[in-house]
Every structure is written in structure tokens, then in C-alpha cells.
Amino acid sequence: MNALQSSRRTKPPEAAVASLLDTLLKRFGNQVATSEAVREQHGHTLTWTKNQPPDAVVYPRTTEEVSDIVKLCLKHDVPVIPFGTGTSLEGHVNAPYGGVCVDMSLMKRIIVVHDEDLDCVVEAGVTRKELNEHLRDKGLFFPIDPGADASIGGMVATRASGTNAVRYGTMKDAVLSLTVVMPDGEIVKTASRAKKSSAGYDLTRLFVGSEGTLGIITEITLKLHGIPEAISAGICPFPSVKAACDAVIMTIQSGIPVARIELLDELQVRAVNAHAKLTLPESPLLLLEFHGSEAGVKEQAERFGEIATEFSGGPFEWATKPEERSRLWQARHDAYWAARGLRPGAQSVATDVCVPISRLAECVDETKRDIVESGLIAPIVGHVGDGNFHVQPLVNMDDPAEVAACEAFVDRLVRRALAMEGTCTGEHGVGQKKMKYLEIEHGPAALALMRTLKQAVDPSNILNPGKIIAF
Amino acid sequence: MNALQSSRRTKPPEAAVASLLDTLLKRFGNQVATSEAVREQHGHTLTWTKNQPPDAVVYPRTTEEVSDIVKLCLKHDVPVIPFGTGTSLEGHVNAPYGGVCVDMSLMKRIIVVHDEDLDCVVEAGVTRKELNEHLRDKGLFFPIDPGADASIGGMVATRASGTNAVRYGTMKDAVLSLTVVMPDGEIVKTASRAKKSSAGYDLTRLFVGSEGTLGIITEITLKLHGIPEAISAGICPFPSVKAACDAVIMTIQSGIPVARIELLDELQVRAVNAHAKLTLPESPLLLLEFHGSEAGVKEQAERFGEIATEFSGGPFEWATKPEERSRLWQARHDAYWAARGLRPGAQSVATDVCVPISRLAECVDETKRDIVESGLIAPIVGHVGDGNFHVQPLVNMDDPAEVAACEAFVDRLVRRALAMEGTCTGEHGVGQKKMKYLEIEHGPAALALMRTLKQAVDPSNILNPGKIIAF
């Protein structure tokens, strides 16, 4: 078969889909759903990206069942779209060519926790909150926290990161090994449980961030961390977004091991106050968290306080009680929903970029000006310790001029970040909406290499077609 | 062209090599060397693996020159073997099918250091010591330290790690982006300079650890760290290797952020004392280093001291002066040469494995017994905070029985580590000598995937053939 030709994907013939569904129903019975409501829930639902539902949804219980589904789909040349919790933001779970959605939500076993090795093995459908609930009594936690209570499998597939990444890294760093069902149904284990290895190509990282286009992740061996002896959180207002960013830059450069350092602009603070009934000061705000020993946390906080003062920030206020801390971070995590409350009825556009930290203040500042000049309502939040920030325009989709203005704004935002040696997406992923920026970011030779990988691993282009690489 | 067929590599016809060398000499003049001495220096030289010299050595000065060399070699269907400093241990730089060695030692520019972003861009021939020399005045350092003063390009290619990996990670974690010459001469930039990204497949990690079989790394963007405010080092003897390993396990589990925690067994200590004229206690020994604030370092050391006592270790002695500290770590780095001094005239066999830390004491203990039972002289050193350790048998190559005993011992060592959910190599890489273990470690489906990647990226099997994947 010629990979280049066969990879040109179109909607499969209706008869092929009907024949496949018939076979799936016989094999999987009530693990298959075809109602319109369920199918629509399994297309994209969270942002302005159009909903493109699959032809059916199947809920496997084991890696072997996933393998069987994929083999059947390959035989019928029908696309397969893996699905975690559907909280991705760039159209990752849409089915532009129809096909079968593989919903991993029944694969929820926490297979084993190796306390002594600080790792665990989980099935892909376990969510990060479920895992942390399970781990709490053991004094361990899994730090990666993208906000949504995403599935671990989905987090691997999108290379998720979030608020703790500045200290604990992203999913790229959190995964020791994966079990993956390949496009032909073969089952691959990517690595051993050793903390490091140089035994051949890094298959683990091949799948982290591949968005379901190279294989379906069914089991994950994750690195864990001990719950720190001391945790303290605080908020610090600043006179401007630029001052806050400059304080962040100095904090990172000084090597203070902040666990979280998050920016909310004044509009986002207002939204959070309204949504969570808080009384945070409505100016650009940093939310911080420090992890360590009692003495270590105190020292970190004091050093940050000095830096904040240097950039006219403050007062730096502490949330020492766990309940207070939880409430603060819950408010941060609900930023997406809080922002939607700023303009009821409007559609939310979520986008993110990431730049080298030396360019962060400049990039956020220019973006703020652009928002004003574009006449958009668009709060900013960011994992600014990594140079990563989100803009969430709220758009009246019935106003074509506003939609166009927002599209142009997102385009300028991405190009601004790329011009500053940044990336078109720090953590949301490519999905459908960022595909057009990959060649600008990586250049034609690198994009050709990505295409070579996709074609070699999935020559029939059966896995999540129409995402990352277009052909 | 059929990738499977064309990838079966044999020595190219002499006429092809002669024609290529003629062209290279015209194009690169005195940047080409063909003397036997130079060619032998560019085959494997450090361990019992046989020396297989290339047909010629070329010293490019730019990425474009590397691209030109590769294009010429591809045109003549002659292998290309990238070469850093030749300090790899498993036959990585050998030329089993002849070919052209591309020695990167003239590509030594430190292109830019971004102080504010804690990163830098270097050419592949820069060594880690040269880089750290350059960085010192800026208060920055590059932590990855495999012992040898390896080139940064070689360290990327072999996924090097070493003494600081327990705190700072391995080359997998240290690289932001790479410039790579592909097997057809195309030049790929793998990523932007953003600290994190989810913009498509992880091309950077595809090349980290690929041992020159997928592309030739010419430029590297590296993460840097601020030199810690305080550094302290110490040594702690233990009554047995098991007691030392148990103390390591407890230290890691307690979340003490040790920068280095290295094991030397009593034989290795004796070798180091003789080589470096030191008077370290000749029992199993941990060498430690702590990085942080003055208070933080003190706290870490005290907590470690308590753990050591719990496992009958001690006294825990400090090397507070920088000179003393340097001398200690120099002695550790010279462990390889020190060990060779234990049996002058014998050949050194260097091998490494890595296991989950819960199995470390057991694995080292069984290995010690095996060494005794095999009648070998074989000191052990290890980056034990990661569960990684090295065994260095010293073998009389004129005694076939001893050579066979050593081969059988290494085989048992690897299988022991694999049975404990470990890896056949923690940091030395696959090269020629560990190829046979990849299928046992990864299984046939994962190995088939590695082969698919190699064939897709290098269909002519021109880049470092006969390493990692055999076909």
C-alpha cells in the first residue's frame, strides 16, 4: 500500500460504517452508543470550534478491547478517535471524517502504587483528582494540574501541564512508561519502570503530546512525589501586568523553587470574584504556592516578598489554612467558567502561547493593548513561571465582525509569540485550530519529519485524522 | 525504493568509497584525514569492544558543511558516523561497515547565552567543561555530568546523565531544542526556545538518545541553572553495600533534594585512593552533594545524617572548602581510570544497568555475590539516587575462560536488572554491545516500532548503521 496515497482521508462510505457498527454491536453490546446526544457530547464542546460528532462511541474495559476495536476499525478503514474527559480546547476530539470514538472512562483501575519507588500504574481513564484522592493516605501526590479534572490518558496525549509545571514539569517529565495500542492493534509497552534509561529510541515521548494520532494510550506509569512537609500559598497584587511579569522573571532567575506562580489580569480577577464570591483585589494579581520544609517555605516566601516590593507589588498576603488555600486554587481552576460569566451567552475562545520568560512582560503587555484595540472582552491568566499564558476572548458568535476580529486577534497573538522565539501552544495542543501554525513555528523540514513519523506509524491514517498533521 | 531491502547494510564497494573520498578531499581539503592512526582513534577505544575504524574522518565547521558531507555520503551510499569525544562505552562510534566519521570537534562555538532565560545555544563539539568554564562568570552552570568531558552533541545523542541527574535530570530533560542534519542532508530545527510546548510531535526527544542513527546533531539549545548560593559535599562510609543502598532509598523517598548521591564499593574506594592519593575509608561509601540556600543545605545534610545513622553509616564527614570538594569529585570522575589501575594490563569492561530504587540494594547485593562467584575483579560505582549503577570488570583478554566468564557475568547482570523491572542500560546507551537486549527489554512490538522509526527516517540506513537496531 502506498502510504502517501492511502493517508488522504475522506469520510468512509456509509456501508462501511454500518457494517463496522453492526460488528461492534455484536462484539461489545451495550458498550456501544450511537444516540445523537451521546455522539455530540463526544465531539468538541468547550470553545468556538464546531462540534463534529463521531458515528458511534465505544467504551472499552481493557487494553485488549481497545486493540480489538482498532483492528475492526482498520479492517473497515474507519477513523478511531480516543476520548478522555473531552476537556481539550482545540478540537482534538472532533470527528471531521466521522468514525468511532473510543471513550476511556470505564478504564479506571489504579493498577498499583509503588510507594517506595514513587511511581504508580494507572489505566488511561483515571482522572488526576481520582488519582490524588487515592494517593492521599500514602503521603504521595501527582503534581500535574491543568485545571480541568482531565483523564491521565488525555493529559499524556496532549502533553498537559498547568499550574505546578514550573516546579514539577509537564506530562513529558511525569511519565515513565506507556502501554499503547498501535494503529494495527498491536500493543506496545514503551519502557521499563527504571527512573532513567538509554535503551534505544524514546518511544514514551513519541506518544506524549501525539494527541491520539499515533496510538491509543491505555496504561500509564507515572512518577509521583511526596506531599511536601509544608505548603503555603499567597496572593500579591501589582500595579500593572508588566510589573507582575517582571517580578515573575526575577523570581525564576533567582532560582526560588516556586511550586506555582500564576498571573490573573484585573479582568480575570473580577470574573473570579464574581464566580467564587471572593474579594481579591481587582488589579493584576499573582497567586503563589511554595512547597518544602517549614523553614524552606518561609525562606522562599520571604525572598519572593522582597522581589515583589522591588516591582511595587504588595501587600503579599498569606492563605495559611488549608481551606483558604483550597478555595483560592479552586477559584483559579474555575477561571475558565468564571470568565464565561463575564458575558453570559457569549462563546468562549480559549487559546494559549508560551514565550521565553525574558519576553513574557513584553508579550503580555502587547497582547493587552491588542485586546483593547480589537474591542474584545478577553481576560488573561497564565502559568507565567514557564512563560505560558492564556487569553480567553468572549465572543458574540452572531456578530460576524466580532468573530473576524477575534480570529485576527488570535492570529496576531500566535505570530507575536513565534516572533519572540515562542510556541503557538504551550499546553493546549494543536488539535484542529493550531495546525496552520506548525509550519510557521517548525519550518517545512521539521513538519515534513512529523509527517514522515505519522505516515510510518499510521500508514492508513486511521488514528484521529485531521489533527496535528494535515494530509 | 523498498526501505526494508535497502536498509540491509553491507560494506560499500571500494570504488564507491574511493570516489567519495576523492570528492570529500576536493571539497574539504585538510579537513579530511585518512591516516590509520587518526582512523583508529575514531573507532571504539575505551573498552573491550573491538576497534572498527572508519575509512576517513572529516572535520566540518558548520551545520551546512555537515549537510554537504551527509549528502555526498548518501549519494555514494557510504555510512556516516558522528563523533564527539569518543568517550562512549558500548561501541557507538565504531564503523562496522566502514564509512565516514564526522568529527564535530571544530564546531565549538558557544553561540549565545540567554542569562535571563537560563538557556544557551551551543555547537555540538563544545564539551561540558568548556561550557561551564564559559558560564562561570555569569553565575550559571550546566549540571549534566557523565564524568568524561564529553561533547554536548555526544551527550544528547547518548542521552547522557551522570552524577547530578538525581536532582537535575538527564539530557532528555536538559535540551530545549536541536538543530539536526537529516540522512538526506535536510536541516531540521526541532523546537522553539519556549520552556514548554505542545506544538506537535516531540522531535527533540526523538533525537535525544538516538545515538546518531536518525540524524547528526549540530546545535543544541540547553537549559541552564543558577549556581546555587550554597554547595556542600560529604562522604559517609557504610558497613555494607546493602546498608548504603538502603540509606539512599530512604533519602530519595524522604524527598531530600540531594544534588548528588554516589556509591563506591570498597574495591572502587581502594582504587580511587591509590589513583588520587586520597585516604578515604576503604568500605562502601556514599559521596554526597547538596545544593540550595545556606539554611537549606544545612537542613538537607542534617536530615541525611539522621538517615545514615539509622542504617549504621557514618561518620558523615564534610568537605566544606571548594578545593576539597573538587578533589573529591575529581576522584569520583576518575573512577574509571582508577579502576584500571587495579589490574594494569587488563582490559576494562564498562557496563551499566538501572532498576527501580526499591530493588537497588537487592540488585547490587546479588551482583556483588555474582562477582565473587565468577572470580572477577570488578569494582562498582553508581548514581544510586536514580537506581543506576556501573560494574567495571577488569579482564585478561588473553585468557578465553576469563573473557567468557565476564561475558556470562554481564549477561546475568542485565537479565537480573530486567527481571527487576529495570533497563539494560541506564546511561551508557545501546551502541553495539546492548543491541541483543533491546527485544528482551521492550518486547517485539516496541522493537518493531523502533525499527519502523529508523526505516522511515533513514530509509537508506546510512546513519551509524549497526547500532541500536540490527537489520
Side-chain angles (χ1 to χ4, degrees), chain B residues 134-157:
Chain B
H134 182 88
L135 293 172
R136 190 165 303 148
D137 292 345
K138 299 176 190 286
L140 298 173
F141 82 118
F142 171 64
I144 317 286
D145 172 3
D149 188 20
S151 68
I152 301 293
M155 288 172 66
V156 175

Side-chain angles (χ1 to χ4, degrees), chain A residues 114-119 158-159 161-162 165-166 170 172-173 182 186-203 205-211 213-214 223 229 249 252-253 293-296 299 303 354-359 383 385-386 388 420-430 438 441-442 445-447 449-454 456-457 468-469, chain B residues 114-119 158-159 161-162 165-166 170 172-173 182 186-203 205-211 213-214 223 229 249 252-253 293-296 299 303 354-359 383 385-386 388 420-430 438 441-442 445-447 449-454 456-457 468-469:
Chain A
H114 300 105
D115 304 42
E116 289 196 313
D117 294 315
L118 302 175
D119 72 46
T158 53
R159 203 180 292 127
S161 49
V166 62
T170 76
K172 163 174 76 63
D173 312 296
M182 300 301 296
E186 281 282 335
I187 296 166
V188 162
K189 182 83 164 37
T190 61
S192 78
R193 208 158 58 74
K195 200 177 153 203
K196 68 184 197 187
S197 172
S198 48
Y201 303 145
D202 190 345
L203 298 184
R205 253 53 59 179
L206 179 69
F207 292 105
V208 176
S210 66
E211 302 185 4
T213 64
L214 300 178
K223 289 190 207 168
E229 180 191 322
I249 294 173
I252 298 301
Q253 283 165 3
S293 65
E294 293 289 353
E299 189 179 35
R303 288 177 64 196
C354 186
V355 293
I357 198 160
S358 64
R359 311 298 296 270
H383 314 308
D386 293 315
N388 179 210
M420 292 182 183
E421 296 187 80
T423 175
C424 68
T425 168
E427 58 176 29
H428 287 182
V430 178
L438 283 197
E441 177 165 340
H442 296 290
L447 199 68
L449 176 55
M450 288 194 196
R451 188 171 287 121
T452 296
L453 296 177
K454 166 71 175 171
V457 175
I468 300 187
I469 303 284
Chain B
H114 299 106
D115 305 41
E116 288 197 313
D117 294 314
L118 301 174
D119 72 45
T158 54
R159 205 181 292 127
S161 49
V166 62
T170 75
K172 165 173 76 60
D173 312 297
M182 300 301 296
E186 280 283 332
I187 298 166
V188 163
K189 183 82 166 33
T190 61
S192 78
R193 209 159 59 73
K195 200 177 153 204
K196 68 183 197 189
S197 172
S198 49
Y201 303 145
D202 190 343
L203 298 184
R205 254 50 61 180
L206 178 71
F207 292 104
V208 176
S210 67
E211 302 184 4
T213 64
L214 299 178
K223 287 189 207 169
E229 179 189 322
I249 295 173
I252 298 300
Q253 283 165 4
S293 66
E294 293 289 352
E299 188 179 35
R303 289 176 64 194
C354 185
V355 294
I357 198 159
S358 64
R359 311 298 296 271
H383 314 307
D386 294 315
N388 179 210
M420 293 183 183
E421 297 186 80
T423 176
C424 68
T425 170
E427 59 178 29
H428 286 183
V430 178
L438 283 198
E441 176 166 340
H442 296 290
L447 199 67
L449 176 55
M450 288 193 197
R451 189 171 286 120
T452 297
L453 296 178
K454 166 71 174 172
V457 174
I468 300 187
I469 303 286

Side-chain angles (χ1 to χ4, degrees), chain A residues 240-405:
Chain A
S240 67
V241 160
K242 182 159 187 337
C245 288
D246 284 334
V248 171
I249 294 173
M250 178 67 79
T251 303
I252 298 301
Q253 283 165 3
S254 306
I256 302 173
V258 279
R260 289 168 156 163
I261 187 163
E262 297 277 307
L263 172 74
L264 282 67
D265 77 350
E266 60 278 20
L267 183 58
Q268 183 67 56
V269 176
R270 200 193 313 154
V272 162
N273 276 344
H275 184 80
K277 301 191 177 37
L278 292 173
T279 55
L280 300 171
E282 294 192 357
S283 66
L285 204 65
L286 291 181
L287 268 69
L288 294 109
E289 193 165 280
F290 302 104
H291 294 178
S293 65
E294 293 289 353
V297 160
K298 189 164 171 289
E299 189 179 35
Q300 290 177 46
E302 283 167 2
R303 288 177 64 196
F304 170 76
E306 287 161 20
I307 291 171
T309 307
E310 207 174 307
F311 292 97
S312 313
F316 180 28
E317 282 176 43
W318 288 101
T320 39
K321 291 184 198 156
E323 316 84 77
E324 248 182 297
R325 217 171 56 220
S326 298
R327 197 153 161 238
L328 203 60
W329 288 111
Q330 191 56 49
R332 164 64 190 88
H333 283 149
D334 291 343
Y336 173 82
W337 299 106
R340 294 194 77 150
L342 284 172
R343 196 180 182 190
Q347 181 55 273
S348 172
V349 176
T351 193
D352 88 308
V353 294
C354 186
V355 293
I357 198 160
S358 64
R359 311 298 296 270
L360 176 66
E362 185 186 354
C363 194
V364 174
D365 221 36
E366 282 185 22
T367 303
K368 293 279 289 179
R369 273 203 301 277
D370 194 354
I371 291 169
V372 172
E373 284 162 17
S374 309
L376 292 169
I377 300 172
I380 291 179
V381 296
H383 314 308
V384 280
D386 293 315
N388 179 210
F389 67 97
H390 306 253
V391 191
Q392 191 181 344
L394 298 157
V395 176
N396 174 4
M397 296 300 283
D398 297 329
D399 180 348
E402 197 177 320
V403 172

